[in-house]
Amino acid sequence: MKRKTTLLLIAVSSSMILGLWLGAWYIGIQPNVLKDITNQPVADLFSSVNALFAGFAFCGVILTVYLQIQELQDTRVVLDETAKANKMSADYAKENAIVELFKTYCSEYFQEVKNSSMNVLIPAVASKEYFDFIVSRFFVAEQQELSISSWERIKTVSHYKNYDEFKSCEQHDRYKLDELINFFTILAYQKDAIEVIGRCDFSYSWWRPMFWMLAIAQDSRYKNNDLIVKYGTKPYFKEVVQRLDLAYCLKPIENIQELVSLIKDHPKLKVQYNLDPNHVELSNW
């Protein structure tokens, strides 16, 4: 519509200017007509026409500026609409990524991952000795061996019938725990998706105390062992749990004292998971 209006305005203006020029030219070649109108020389008449053309030229400049302003306004509108569309696409992509992760979390396969992880995490809560073994296995150096002495406390929370059965399945379950940790790592590092994560229930309140125990123990073991630093990689899990805390509007744990405060009277850990008293001794961390 604006294009048609602009073309019509140009056509009318051009026609008027051409008509005036032809009329002035015709009058200029008719001496008798000029004598009846004016005593001024023909050149003065054409000078007035020149002034008229100059006026129209100025109008043309104004029209050009107006069209440029309109074009800039149209461009701004298009850019705003494009920005809104891009933001909507980005928001959809973020939400879609979290939804896909949530589908994975709820899948039949991942149910096995969660069950196997709990076969490790719950005994690790019940036995500080087994917990230390688990933490050591996150590093390539200074790994501990699984000890039968840890079974005394593990058996109070494990569904395995005896130590041999537990030992035969322990490595498989521990590898599934690695999968669980990797899953939550991917989740935590979804770019600009913290608010989306917070709206999805990944049972984080169940995992949180045990995740923090692992994260702080990993970090402490790495910092206090030169051989692990030499041959291993810096643990990242503490930052992962911090990010998840922020996503769920929780205050991240700052130190070992806060961790002990979290776990010592935790209803799940203390009652159902038979929390080892050694976990709440600050000297053991």
Side-chain angles (χ1 to χ4, degrees), residues 11-270:
V12 171
S13 300
S14 300
S15 298
M16 290 178 61
I17 293 172
L18 180 61
L20 287 170
W21 184 83
L22 290 174
W25 184 83
Y26 174 76
I27 293 172
I29 63 173
Q30 302 290 330
N32 295 330
V33 175
L34 285 176
K35 289 179 179 179
D36 296 335
I37 299 174
T38 179
N39 292 323
Q40 297 297 323
V42 175
D44 290 348
L45 179 61
F46 276 96
S47 295
S48 65
V49 174
N50 289 338
L52 182 63
F53 274 100
F56 274 110
F58 181 69
C59 291
V61 172
I62 294 175
L63 176 62
T64 301
V65 173
Y66 170 77
L67 292 176
Q68 289 178 340
I69 292 173
Q70 288 294 113
E71 185 176 353
L72 288 173
Q73 289 178 342
D74 292 343
T75 302
R76 188 178 295 110
V77 171
V78 172
L79 290 175
D80 288 343
E81 291 177 352
T82 302
K84 290 178 182 178
N86 289 340
K87 185 178 183 303
M88 290 178 63
S89 298
D91 290 342
Y92 175 77
K94 287 189 297 184
E95 295 199 11
N96 189 57
I98 303 303
V99 168
E100 290 301 317
L101 285 172
F102 189 73
K103 288 180 180 178
T104 299
Y105 184 82
C106 296
S107 67
E108 185 175 347
Y109 167 77
F110 210 76
Q111 187 60 48
E112 178 190 352
V113 172
K114 290 183 283 187
N115 289 338
S116 296
S117 297
M118 293 303 283
N119 289 340
V120 173
L121 291 173
I122 295 176
V125 170
S127 170
K128 181 67 165 60
E129 184 179 6
Y130 178 61
F131 175 82
D132 291 338
F133 162 77
I134 293 297
V135 174
S136 76
R137 289 288 164 160
F138 285 114
F139 302 101
V140 70
E142 299 292 307
Q143 293 184 336
Q144 297 180 9
E145 295 297 326
L146 181 62
S147 173
I148 192 173
S149 60
S150 61
W151 176 247
E152 192 63 30
R153 289 196 59 85
I154 292 173
K155 68 182 181 181
T156 63
V157 294
S158 177
H159 64 82
Y160 293 116
K161 296 178 181 178
N162 51 57
Y163 175 74
D164 290 334
E165 184 180 352
F166 171 76
K167 185 177 180 180
S168 67
C169 298
E170 193 273 339
Q171 187 179 62
H172 168 270
D173 291 339
R174 190 157 28 88
Y175 287 167
K176 293 300 181 182
L177 175 60
D178 288 338
E179 286 189 47
L180 181 73
I181 290 174
N182 287 330
F183 172 85
F184 276 101
T185 300
I186 295 171
L187 178 66
Y189 282 95
Q190 290 296 306
K191 186 177 180 181
D192 301 324
I194 293 298
E195 73 283 357
V196 183
I197 296 172
R199 295 199 299 266
C200 295
D201 182 13
F202 287 94
S203 305
Y204 182 63
S205 59
W206 290 73
W207 304 112
R208 182 177 183 250
M210 294 176 286
F211 280 0
W212 268 114
M213 290 171 68
L214 290 176
I216 288 182
Q218 274 186 335
D219 190 63
S220 177
R221 187 172 180 81
Y222 179 83
K223 290 178 179 178
N224 296 316
N225 195 305
D226 293 337
L227 200 61
I228 291 177
V229 173
K230 180 178 180 180
Y231 293 107
T233 57
K234 185 177 180 180
Y236 52 82
F237 196 44
K238 186 176 180 180
E239 183 177 336
V240 170
V241 187
Q242 287 173 337
R243 284 172 171 264
L244 292 172
D245 273 8
L246 294 175
Y248 288 97
C249 300
L250 298 168
K251 183 181 181 298
I253 301 296
E254 297 291 340
N255 48 55
I256 296 173
Q257 288 82 359
E258 290 185 8
L259 172 65
V260 170
S261 177
L262 172 68
I263 66 176
K264 68 178 181 179
D265 294 317
H266 194 284
K268 274 289 180 184
L269 273 60
K270 185 175 182 179

